[in-house]
Every structure is written in structure tokens, then in C-alpha cells.
Amino acid sequence: MKTTIIILGGGFAGVECARRLEKRMRSNSLTEIILVSEDNFLLFTPMLPQVASGTVQTRNIVIPIRAMIKKTTFYEGRVRHIDPVARRISLWGTPEKPGIVLNYDYLVVALGSETNFFGMNDLENNAFRMKTLNDAVIVRNRIIDMLEQANNEPDTETRKSLLTIVIVGGGFAGIETAGELNDFLNDATKYYPKISMSDISVKVLEALPTILPGFSQRLAQFTKNQMIQRGIEINLRTAVTGFDGATITTKNLDDQMTDNISTKTVIWTAGVTPTNTIKRSIFKTEKGKMLINEYLEADGYKGVFAAGDCALCIDPATQKPFAATAQLAEAQAKKIASNLFLLINNNSMEEFTYTPRGQMAIIGKRTGIASIFGLNIQGMTAWLLWRNVYLSKMPSISKRVRLLMDWFQDALFDRDISRLKIMRDAPVKEYETLQALDDFW
């Protein structure tokens, strides 16, 4: 009788878990591995800001999942419901076919996260995101569109609002996006004779008293100084309270004073939340994340594991959650694969322990920061280190060569300012499973 392991999610945690299980189960013909993902590719999300700035091509930061797995059965689909009691999951259907139900013996939940607007509907409706590949392309198109409109705009106030770009969030995504877009604007203005960089305003709004929490104060201050020197405005202790598409409203958390910024472009990177599939499940959660034990097993449900952004993993040293990074997700995936192998072979599981190897960020103009094994590195050395690390993570030689070619061309030539007319995502329609339809009739 076959043992079925289902992995939900095609991000770093899900794909890494599938690959590790394949290696461990290659001589086990009685174990079936199934991977379910909304997309048929693994997205290197740390490189999204480089797509938005035109440094790299979209296809060069995505890896087809089918090219990375051998024994695993892959389903492209959206998870509709998880039933840990009956040990089955259901997938939404599509206009072309009804949904399906899959049964499992062991389950790995690695569904990641989605953008969190903290209940501010006007922001959700009007702000741009930096979460998916489509988001990055839309942001790039938006920046080019604003330049095109502003170049021939006679009204001073309208022109100013068109050339004001606001990034909300001073974490990795926000700082890297601000740095990349500022570089792109520097390159692009040469094609717009009526616009200079002094006309453009790139602002970062952060509610915390510092940017890049998790980095040392010295590296965070270095980043702040570098970005200010390049014309990027950093506003700390500043919370966003609304955005109607023309004006963003903010509140200073120190003196509680409010302010309005006229802008047509707000890019939201200020938070993520677990997917609705987790929130509406029967798993025990805290702030939307699944509660897990020391083996990464879901609280109260044997044989169900969770990894990545959707799992609440506590650092025993600080009693605070670990930062949600690709590094943590991959480490969790490796341990889950190991524990599943032990369980299937009737052995005791091992506890998950994690020590971060370090973290890195690029902040524009061939400058970066890195904190690795206690060493703080800044400037071009950190920038080169960032590139080498992410290049090494590309699982195929062809992708590494393509990425190198993109970087080489960026060093030699100006960035392209063609605007590809890609529309915003349409609301996703949900189609019932065949079983649900049968039950209805």
C-alpha cells in the first residue's frame, strides 16, 4: 500500500522539501510525493526589485518546477480546503475543468503569504504591490507611464504628484525597491528632456524608528545615509492611514501630527499575512500563522507539518518568531523531509534547530550591506557578495548564464524604457470541486 505525501506550495519551502524527499525516497517505490502550487514555477522573490528596475528579465528569475523535480507528481492549482481530520485536500476548479480532491497520509503546508494591508481597503484598491512577478512588471510600467505623462505636463502641482514615488515599508523589499527604482529613474531621465532627477521625489515611509530591522544599527545607518545622499527621502516613525489614488495620508507616531502627500504612485511593502486558506482552516493559529511544535508538526495534528511564511516558528533564544526568510524556509523544508523519512521508517523525529547564516540587501548604485557570521560588510563588496550568493542558488546552469548576461548588459548599456501594457490581475474566480457539485445536486 502506497504512502502519499502532499506538499502545498511551490515556494522555497515547498520545492526544497519535494527535492529533499525525492533524494531520500529514491529507492522507495511505495511512497508517492505530490506537490501542489498555484504557479508552475519557483520565483526568486529577492530579485523582484531588479525586475521592476529593468536590471533583469522576468524569465530569468523563475525556474519551472517540473524541471526541478523527477519523482514528484505536480498539480497546478489553488487549494480550496484542507481537512486534517479526513486527511484530504481539495483544489479549486477552473473554467476548463472541475476541482479535485486528493487524499494524503502526510501533509506539508508551505503556502507562503500574501500582502497585508491591515484592513485599509483604499490602500488595497489603489496601491501597487511587490509580491509577484506580475507586480514587479506592473510597477515598472507605472514608473515609465508617470515619466511619459509628466514630461509634457504644464501644471506644476500635477507634474510634481506624477513624479513623486512613495514606497511604504523600510524592510528588505521596501529598501531594495527604493534603491532600484531610484537607479532606474536616474538612467531613464536622459530620455525625457523636460525632467531632471531634481524633479523626482522617491520617498520611503517606515513606522519603526529604523529601517531594515534585524541588521545592526551601523549597517542600517549606513544604508540610510547612502540613500539620502542619492536623493531618497527616508521618513521614520511615519504610519500610513490611507490612500485614495491621489493623496496618501500619514501620521507621525511621535507627535501624532498628520500629513498629506500628493502622489499617484504608492508601492506597498509594509507587511504580509498568511493566506486565507490557512486562516479559514481548523488548524490552531496565532496571527494567522499555524502553531507548530519542535518537530515543525502542526499543533494537534500528527503527520501535518508547516514551513515558511505560514508557520509560526519561535526562536528559543529570544522567544520571538524567526524572521520570515527564504533561508529559514529552506532549513525547515530540509528538516521536515528528514522527519518524514524517519516517520515512514518507524523512527523517532528530530527537533528543528536553526542558526541564521546571515542576511544581505542591495541598496542601489552597486552598493549593498551584509551581515554574515558576525561580520558586517558594506559597499561594493557586499553588493558583489549578494550577487554571488543568489547566482549560486540558481538550480540550473542556463539560468545562471542568463542572469549573468542580464547583469553584464546592465553594466554596459542603458536600461530599456519600453512600457509593456500589462493589466492588473483580474479577480480570481473560484470553481467548486466535482464532489462539491455532486453533493449540491
Side-chain angles (χ1 to χ4, degrees):
M1 185 175 178
K2 276 197 172 185
T3 298
T4 300
I5 301 171
I6 294 182
I7 303 166
L8 304 180
F12 288 104
V15 171
E16 182 66 21
C17 187
R19 296 177 74 187
R20 293 280 170 169
L21 282 170
E22 284 187 345
K23 289 180 181 179
R24 288 182 173 272
M25 307 289 185
R26 57 178 172 263
S27 59
N28 185 344
S29 60
L30 296 179
T31 300
E32 179 185 26
I33 306 167
I34 296 173
L35 176 61
V36 178
S37 174
E38 286 188 36
D39 299 307
N40 75 338
F41 57 80
L42 169 66
L43 172 64
F44 273 65
T45 50
M47 293 187 184
L48 283 177
Q50 295 196 31
V51 170
S53 67
T55 304
V56 300
Q57 300 298 312
T58 54
R59 287 188 178 275
N60 296 342
I61 68 163
V62 295
I63 315 295
I65 290 176
R66 291 184 181 275
M68 301 174 69
I69 56 178
K70 297 177 181 178
K71 285 185 60 179
T72 302
T73 301
F74 177 72
Y75 285 84
E76 184 184 63
R78 295 176 58 243
V79 179
R80 175 177 179 265
H81 181 64
I82 304 171
D83 185 348
V85 177
R87 291 183 175 268
R88 65 185 181 188
I89 63 132
S90 59
L91 305 183
W92 288 108
T94 69
E96 293 76 29
K97 69 180 185 69
I100 59 172
V101 174
L102 300 171
N103 296 303
Y104 67 84
D105 297 293
Y106 297 99
L107 178 68
V108 180
V109 183
L111 288 172
S113 59
E114 57 192 29
T115 305
N116 187 5
F117 289 96
F118 303 99
M120 291 182 282
N121 293 330
D122 57 345
L123 265 163
E124 186 172 358
N125 293 331
N126 297 305
F128 294 85
R129 302 163 171 82
M130 279 294 287
K131 186 67 177 169
T132 68
L133 195 61
N134 194 49
D135 292 340
V137 175
I138 288 173
V139 165
R140 182 176 180 276
N141 285 339
R142 178 66 171 185
I143 300 302
I144 296 169
D145 186 30
M146 293 299 96
L147 290 171
E148 293 290 349
Q149 293 191 48
N151 190 65
N152 298 310
E153 175 56 52
D155 182 73
T156 304
E157 290 302 315
T158 302
R159 191 168 184 271
K160 182 179 178 181
S161 68
L162 291 169
L163 295 176
T164 298
I165 313 298
V166 177
I167 296 99
V168 184
F172 282 90
I175 293 302
E176 292 185 333
T177 298
E180 286 290 332
L181 291 182
N182 196 61
D183 286 355
F184 174 66
L185 288 164
N186 262 301
D187 288 349
T189 49
K190 70 181 65 175
Y191 298 106
Y192 298 90
K194 298 178 184 178
I195 300 175
S196 66
M197 274 306 292
S198 61
D199 299 320
I200 296 172
S201 177
V202 178
K203 302 175 185 288
V204 175
L205 309 182
E206 170 56 55
L208 295 176
T210 182
I211 58 172
L212 296 173
F215 274 105
S216 69
Q217 186 177 354
R218 183 171 73 84
L219 287 179
Q221 188 61 44
F222 169 81
T223 301
K224 182 181 177 182
N225 293 341
Q226 288 288 310
M227 300 188 85
I228 291 173
Q229 287 176 20
R230 292 165 189 168
I232 300 172
E233 184 180 329
I234 307 289
N235 297 276
L236 302 176
R237 299 288 292 163
T238 303
V240 174
T241 57
F243 176 56
D244 61 5
T247 303
I248 185 169
T249 307
T250 67
K251 180 173 70 173
N252 187 294
L253 297 179
D254 291 324
D255 57 22
Q256 301 300 308
M257 294 292 289
T258 61
D259 190 21
N260 295 325
I261 302 172
S262 294
T263 177
K264 299 294 190 292
T265 306
V266 171
I267 303 167
W268 182 267
T269 67
V272 295
T273 183
T275 62
N276 285 328
T277 304
I278 300 297
K279 293 176 182 177
R280 63 185 178 221
S281 71
I282 62 173
F283 294 120
K284 296 178 183 178
T285 61
E286 185 176 316
K287 294 182 179 179
K289 293 190 174 187
M290 290 175 61
L291 296 178
I292 54 177
N293 62 19
E294 64 272 25
Y295 307 111
L296 304 178
E297 201 171 32
D299 190 5
Y301 296 96
K302 296 292 183 182
V304 178
F305 297 83
D309 290 358
C310 66
L312 185 63
C313 191
I314 303 296
D315 183 349
T318 64
Q319 292 303 308
K320 294 181 179 179
F322 282 112
T325 63
Q327 182 185 152
L328 172 65
E330 289 184 341
Q332 291 172 326
K334 293 174 186 177
K335 179 55 67 177
I336 290 173
S338 173
N339 280 338
L340 283 169
F341 179 76
L342 292 171
L343 277 176
I344 289 171
N345 288 280
N346 299 313
N347 293 315
S348 299
M349 293 189 292
E350 299 172 348
E351 293 186 13
F352 174 70
T353 58
Y354 174 68
T355 303
R357 296 191 297 272
Q359 50 191 354
M360 299 174 290
I362 52 174
I363 58 178
K365 287 291 182 185
R366 294 174 174 77
T367 306
I369 57 172
S371 178
I372 300 177
F373 301 117
L375 297 175
N376 291 328
I377 307 169
Q378 62 193 42
M380 181 170 279
T381 303
W383 176 77
L384 289 170
L385 183 62
W386 186 96
R387 287 199 163 188
N388 281 321
V389 167
Y390 281 103
L391 190 67
S392 68
K393 287 181 175 291
M394 285 290 170
S396 68
I397 294 176
S398 65
K399 289 292 182 181
R400 291 176 189 174
V401 171
R402 291 170 189 266
L403 193 57
L404 275 172
M405 289 175 65
D406 279 348
W407 287 339
F408 183 66
Q409 290 178 71
D410 177 61
L412 292 179
F413 308 111
D414 294 334
R415 303 184 203 196
D416 193 289
I417 59 167
S418 303
R419 185 166 68 92
L420 305 176
K421 292 188 176 181
I422 297 176
M423 303 301 291
R424 284 179 179 266
D425 283 335
V428 176
K429 294 182 179 180
E430 296 176 337
Y431 296 85
E432 298 287 348
T433 61
L434 184 60
Q435 180 179 347
L437 291 173
D438 288 344
D439 291 343
F440 176 80
W441 290 108

